[in-house]
Amino acid sequence: MTVVRTRFAPSPTGYLHLGGARTALYSWAYARHFGGTFVLRIEDTDLERSTPEAVQAILDGMQWLGLAHDEGPFYQMQRMDRYREVVGQMLAAGTAYQCYCSPAEVEAMRERFRAAGEKPRYDGTWRPEDGKTLPVAPSGVQPVIRFKNPLDGDVTWNDVVKGTITIGNKELDDLVIARPDGTPTYNFCVAVDDWDMQITHVLRGDDHVNNTPRQINILRAIGAPLPQYGHLPMILGADGEKLSKRHGAVSVMDYPEQGYLPEAMLNYLARLGWSHGNDEVFTMDQFCEWFNLEHLTASAARFDHEKLGWLNNHYIKLADNERLAGLARPRMQAEGASFDGAPSLPAVLALMKERSNTVVELADAAMLFYRTPNPDAALLAQHLTDAVRPALVDFAARCADVEWTKPALAAMLKEVLVAHGLKMPLMAMPLRLLVTGQLQTPAIDAVLELFGREVVCARLQKFI
Ligand code: GLU
């Protein structure tokens, strides 16, 4: 059995976007599934658009997601000698040739075809054929190198996502594989790399479907085995339009910023284009065990923020509270939280996390324990009525020596209610207001327990 070798081959021209992350995830999981090798390759030959910051953004995104590569990162810019070598071999083998047409001449050619109602293309002026006499090479002109694409027949591959795809060679031009200065071009580099890196499975976005027949022809010409190809449909926004900033964050690294956990993002992306029965929630170990190429979805998936939020809530509930505290603390500090003498943050988060879809929501909710309450005067007037004041005074007095645990506080509160003939909300609301400054909090006994005797007594005494 062949050893599975997959790769993720991003162009470092921006951030790591969701579609790229999904491609990386599937390629990684497929290699994991078979105990194979996952290669990271940085396709940085577009010098105008590639930046070191974008390379770093890709590495950061992969690291946040935990998608570790086994080989690489390989940088195409560091492989120039190798590409030149293969160009030389192809020239020698007659599978590539020098073309001296200037860009203006090529454009004029294309224009002629267009005017004749045909597909614009290169007319083969410099293409060597048996018995054909080529023009004399102009002096002082550096030629481009063109691939000698087969003239007839089709290129067919069985795409693991889209099924059989056939493209006629007539549709494919004699591709320029090296520019006059010798720099190789995109499809050529990809083919050489996939060959050298012995890639067995290429999973990538379906914006590359048109490149595939060109790459297959080059691979055949250089005698390389063909990988299996799978072209994943793009990710759409909820409205069915191509996913863009308008739909919210498209950069993976915006998600930690917005309080998402990597395990939620991985689980979400895993299901976005692949299924395993009705399973919605699974670990990456399960995913790697289950992932295959049979259940990839051929139709475009829509990004569903609500579902991501639901999954994130699930993973927040499972997450270690110390870990959540590490994520929430810097945000809360930025919001002016004071942690001195305040309740333990992990304990607070344990109480609050049930209802938080993001760490940002969780941190916001937890702030109530870390800022000085400043109850609104109108709310105070509404809830701190003469009818409840005596009960609150009683409650505050008992706070001095009640056992400071949630059940003891709950029992004491009940006794006070009974003694004063009041119902729970009548007491709970002003208590919340006085202790936290707000009316919405988790269960009051839990909140009181976390604040501790000293803080609760001080805050109650300030108002009653
Ligand atoms: N560099 C290409 C991109 O970022 C991917 C090429 C490939 O996977 O073959 O879109």
Side-chain angles (χ1 to χ4, degrees), residues 7 9-11 41 43 186 190 194 202-204 207-208 215:
R7 80 324 190 258
S11 304
R41 176 167 90 218
E43 302 201 325
Y186 175 73
V190 172
D194 284 341
V202 170
L203 298 176
R204 61 184 172 201
D207 46 334
H208 288 282
Q215 294 173 14

Side-chain angles (χ1 to χ4, degrees), residues 57-68:
I58 290 163
L59 297 175
D60 290 348
M62 302 279 285
Q63 190 181 20
W64 181 66
L65 291 168
L67 302 178

Side-chain angles (χ1 to χ4, degrees), residues 426-461:
L426 272 183
M427 274 288 281
M429 286 316 205
L431 274 177
R432 288 193 163 107
L433 204 52
L434 296 180
V435 176
T436 73
Q438 60 189 61
L439 292 173
Q440 299 213 317
T441 74
I444 188 67
D445 47 1
V447 170
L448 295 172
E449 184 194 36
L450 277 172
F451 270 113
R453 191 191 310 274
E454 214 174 304
V455 172
V456 170
C457 288
R459 291 187 181 175
L460 291 179
Q461 268 146 26

Side-chain angles (χ1 to χ4, degrees), residues 217-238:
N217 279 340
I218 293 172
L219 287 165
R220 284 193 174 130
I222 57 184
L226 298 185
Q228 268 200 288
Y229 291 94
H231 289 92
L232 305 162
M234 63 172 78
I235 302 176
L236 305 177

Side-chain angles (χ1 to χ4, degrees), residues 335-413:
E335 293 295 313
S338 93
F339 292 99
D340 275 356
S344 131
L345 184 55
V348 166
L349 299 183
L351 178 67
M352 315 292 286
K353 67 186 189 176
E354 191 69 26
R355 272 181 285 172
S356 299
N357 279 357
T358 67
V359 176
V360 173
E361 279 177 34
L362 182 58
D364 280 351
M367 280 301 283
L368 86 107
F369 286 91
Y370 302 96
R371 65 181 154 223
T372 314
N374 187 14
D376 176 73
L379 287 177
L380 275 177
Q382 186 188 338
H383 293 280
L384 194 58
T385 59
D386 288 345
V388 289
R389 195 176 285 271
L392 285 169
V393 172
D394 188 1
F395 182 87
R398 293 179 192 227
C399 276
D401 52 14
V402 66
E403 186 199 336
W404 205 264
T405 61
K406 191 174 134 178
L409 284 161
M412 188 269 269
L413 182 55

Side-chain angles (χ1 to χ4, degrees), residues 269-300:
L269 289 175
R271 269 293 282 114
L272 196 69
W274 172 87
S275 62
H276 183 263
N278 292 325
D279 290 308
E280 292 292 352
V281 181
F282 41 82
T283 64
M284 280 304 105
D285 282 347
Q286 286 172 310
F287 180 54
C288 290
E289 194 184 319
W290 295 338
F291 184 69
N292 54 28
L293 304 178
E294 281 96 72
H295 295 98
L296 290 166
T297 323
S299 55

